[in-house]
Amino acid sequence: MRKAFNGTFIAAGGYEREDGMKAIAENRADLVAFGRWFLANPDLPKRFALDAPLNKYHRETFYTSDPVLGYSDYPFLDEDSNGVAS
């Protein structure tokens, strides 16, 4: 797809930190989207920068009518515990 499109190319779907960095380094994408990982990790850029562990996402809560469950209940990094989520 990259060869067929000359504009800014955004890759998405199934990428993790290392995969995304590799896709950019190898010029397979200009940007990488991390939708599910952002839902479960509201501080994802910080976690990626620190190579900190990620919260696991719960796919079954992605499309519920509950305005809180699954979208705002994931923990941020607890900096007092060396990057481990609280």
Side-chain angles (χ1 to χ4, degrees):
M1 291 300 296
R2 177 69 164 161
K3 291 178 183 177
F5 183 71
N6 293 325
T8 300
F9 192 80
I10 303 172
Y15 284 89
E16 294 188 11
R17 180 181 180 270
E18 294 299 321
D19 303 325
M21 291 180 0
K22 187 174 180 181
I24 297 213
E26 294 176 353
N27 199 32
R28 290 185 282 122
D30 296 303
L31 302 162
V32 177
F34 296 96
R36 290 174 286 218
W37 291 119
F38 260 115
L39 282 177
N41 298 276
D43 52 358
L44 187 65
K46 183 176 187 176
R47 288 176 189 256
F48 276 5
L50 297 173
D51 199 14
L54 301 179
N55 296 321
K56 293 182 181 177
Y57 54 82
H58 306 287
R59 191 182 298 263
E60 63 275 5
T61 65
F62 283 0
Y63 304 104
T64 66
S65 59
D66 189 321
V68 177
L69 181 65
Y71 285 95
S72 63
D73 59 343
Y74 290 101
F76 286 81
L77 279 176
D78 179 1
E79 293 184 33
D80 294 333
S81 61
N82 297 319
V84 177
S86 59

